[in-house]
């Protein structure tokens, strides 16, 4: 390796570290939560796994918990969830498979804990994502409810409904300095989204957008992607709630190691863990 190559080695190492940081931030909060639960919940008994079966996905669980004899404990909280340990022999449901009776039973419990009014306004694609996303856990219903409630709270906090009707100011400029968006579909019909991190114009970003504005724009981006995914699912005639993310790091340099930018990326990553 020549002297020029050696002189760039520290920069290469720093870029490798920031890429690794970006990928790991989506798991950091989950790991911290797991450690806390393991320390505090060692004596909690596990819940037996449910049996399979299928019904039409369009059918919402209409009976209330009380009318079908479902006995619910008090509303679950993050602090009283079990350790995040997969059930032995668990196999996830096929994404476009019909909802099973156990899944509908979980939905009934979530409905009872959320309340009729809030449940009625919960997007169905979001509901199914959380119900199926935590099916591997012993405290399946409790976990689905806790994290769905957190997601709904985050959506209310940032005002996603308002953002879709009235996008944040200077949206076109934001898309120039932080390019991202759909680039196609995979073989199963999933939307493929590309985030061009290396093309982020850090200087213009902080020149024109405050941190709160950045969060609002990212919330808008995420909600539009959810609606686009829901429209894609409807167009293809089967349930598709998963999205393929591609991180394009081409063009990444020292400017992308900016502490403000890394902090914002981490905050957006944390919101993604909550909102979906």
């Amino acid at each position: 390796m020549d002297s020029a190559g050696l002189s760039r080695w520290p920069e290469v190492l720093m870029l490798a570290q920031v890429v690794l940081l970006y990928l790991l931030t989506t798991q950091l909060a989950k790991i911290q939560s797991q450690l806390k639960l393991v320390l505090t919940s060692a004596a909690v008994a596990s819940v037996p796994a449910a049996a399979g079966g299928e019904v039409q996905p369009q059918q919402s669980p209409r009976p209330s918990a009380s009318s079908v004899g479902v006995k619910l404990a008090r509303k679950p909280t993050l602090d009283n969830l079990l350790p995040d340990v997969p059930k032995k022999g668990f196999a996830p449901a096929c994404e476009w498979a019909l909802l099973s009776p156990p899944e509908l039973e979980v939905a009934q419990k979530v409905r009872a804990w959320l309340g009729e009014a809030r449940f009625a306004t919960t997007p169905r694609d979001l509901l199914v994502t959380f119900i199926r996303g935590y099916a591997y856990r012993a405290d399946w219903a409790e976990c689905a409810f806790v994290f769905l409630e957190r997601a709904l709270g985050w959506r209310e906090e940032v005002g996603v409904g308002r953002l879709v009707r009235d996008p944040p100011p200077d949206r076109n400029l934001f898309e120039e300095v932080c390019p991202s968006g759909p680039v196609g579909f995979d073989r199963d019909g999933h939307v493929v989204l590309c985030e061009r991190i290396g093309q982020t114009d850090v200087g213009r970003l902080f020149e024109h957008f405050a941190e709160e504005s950045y969060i609002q724009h990212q919330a808008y981006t995420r909600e539009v992607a959810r609606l686009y995914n829901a429209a894609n699912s409807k167009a293809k005639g089967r349930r598709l709630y998963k999205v393929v993310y591609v991180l394009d790091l081409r063009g990444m340099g020292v400017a992308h190691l900016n502490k403000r930018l890394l902090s914002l990326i981490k905050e957006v990553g944390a919101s993604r863990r909550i909102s979906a």
Side-chain angles (χ1 to χ4, degrees):
M1 183 179 292
D2 57 22
S3 59
L6 288 173
S7 66
R8 291 182 57 83
W9 186 244
E11 179 179 335
V12 173
L13 287 177
M14 293 177 70
L15 290 175
Q17 289 173 345
V18 72
V19 172
L20 182 60
L21 174 64
Y22 183 87
L23 296 175
L24 291 181
T25 48
T26 58
Q27 299 298 325
L28 181 60
K30 185 176 180 180
I31 293 173
Q32 292 173 334
S33 176
Q34 290 173 5
L35 290 174
K36 179 179 178 182
L37 291 170
V38 168
L39 291 173
T40 58
S41 306
V44 181
S46 62
V47 178
E54 296 181 351
V55 295
Q56 289 294 331
Q58 293 81 4
Q59 294 178 345
S60 297
R62 298 188 180 280
S64 65
S66 59
S67 66
V68 295
V70 177
K71 294 183 179 179
L72 298 179
R74 61 182 181 177
K75 185 181 295 187
T77 66
L78 184 64
D79 290 334
N80 58 32
L81 293 179
L82 300 177
D84 189 3
V85 178
K87 293 181 290 192
K88 186 176 181 180
F90 172 78
C94 177
E95 184 178 1
W96 43 81
L98 305 177
L99 291 178
S100 67
E103 288 171 335
L104 286 178
E105 183 177 338
V106 169
Q108 290 173 348
K109 292 179 179 180
V110 170
R111 181 178 187 171
W113 284 321
L114 276 180
E116 292 293 332
R118 203 172 191 193
F119 184 87
T121 59
T122 299
R124 289 302 182 257
D125 60 314
L126 199 64
L127 175 66
V128 173
T129 299
F130 280 85
I131 289 176
R132 285 197 166 161
Y134 294 98
Y136 70 94
R137 293 183 53 134
D139 53 350
W140 178 10
E142 291 79 4
C143 199
F145 163 74
V146 166
F147 289 105
L148 174 60
E149 186 180 47
R150 282 161 57 89
L152 296 176
W154 177 84
R155 290 168 60 83
E156 292 167 0
E157 179 182 345
V158 300
V160 292
R162 171 184 53 80
L163 288 176
V164 172
R165 295 190 301 270
D166 185 17
D170 300 317
R171 180 63 193 179
N172 290 338
L173 176 60
F174 184 84
E175 292 183 358
E176 287 182 20
V177 299
C178 292
S180 67
V183 294
F185 306 90
D186 72 1
R187 63 183 181 183
D188 291 321
H190 297 110
V191 173
V192 178
L193 297 176
C194 181
E195 295 193 13
R196 297 178 173 87
I197 303 171
Q199 299 301 313
T200 300
D201 190 331
V202 181
R204 293 176 69 196
L205 173 64
F206 291 121
E207 178 184 353
H208 296 284
F209 299 96
E211 294 182 7
E212 179 60 30
S213 178
Y214 177 87
I215 298 299
Q216 290 284 301
H217 277 283
Q218 291 289 8
Y220 172 84
T221 297
R222 182 155 184 79
E223 181 63 7
V224 169
R226 187 190 70 80
L227 294 173
Y228 180 67
N229 196 40
N232 174 56
S233 176
K234 184 176 181 180
K236 289 186 167 56
R238 64 177 182 175
R239 179 182 292 112
L240 294 168
Y241 47 78
K242 297 178 181 178
V243 174
V244 177
Y245 275 97
V246 176
L247 302 181
D248 185 353
L249 304 180
R250 287 178 297 177
M252 222 173 158
V254 175
H256 297 93
L257 300 175
N258 183 288
K259 290 184 178 179
R260 281 182 69 192
L261 179 61
L262 294 179
S263 177
L264 287 172
I265 290 174
K266 183 177 180 179
E267 185 171 348
V268 171
S271 72
R272 282 178 175 168
R273 287 193 300 276
I274 293 173
S275 62

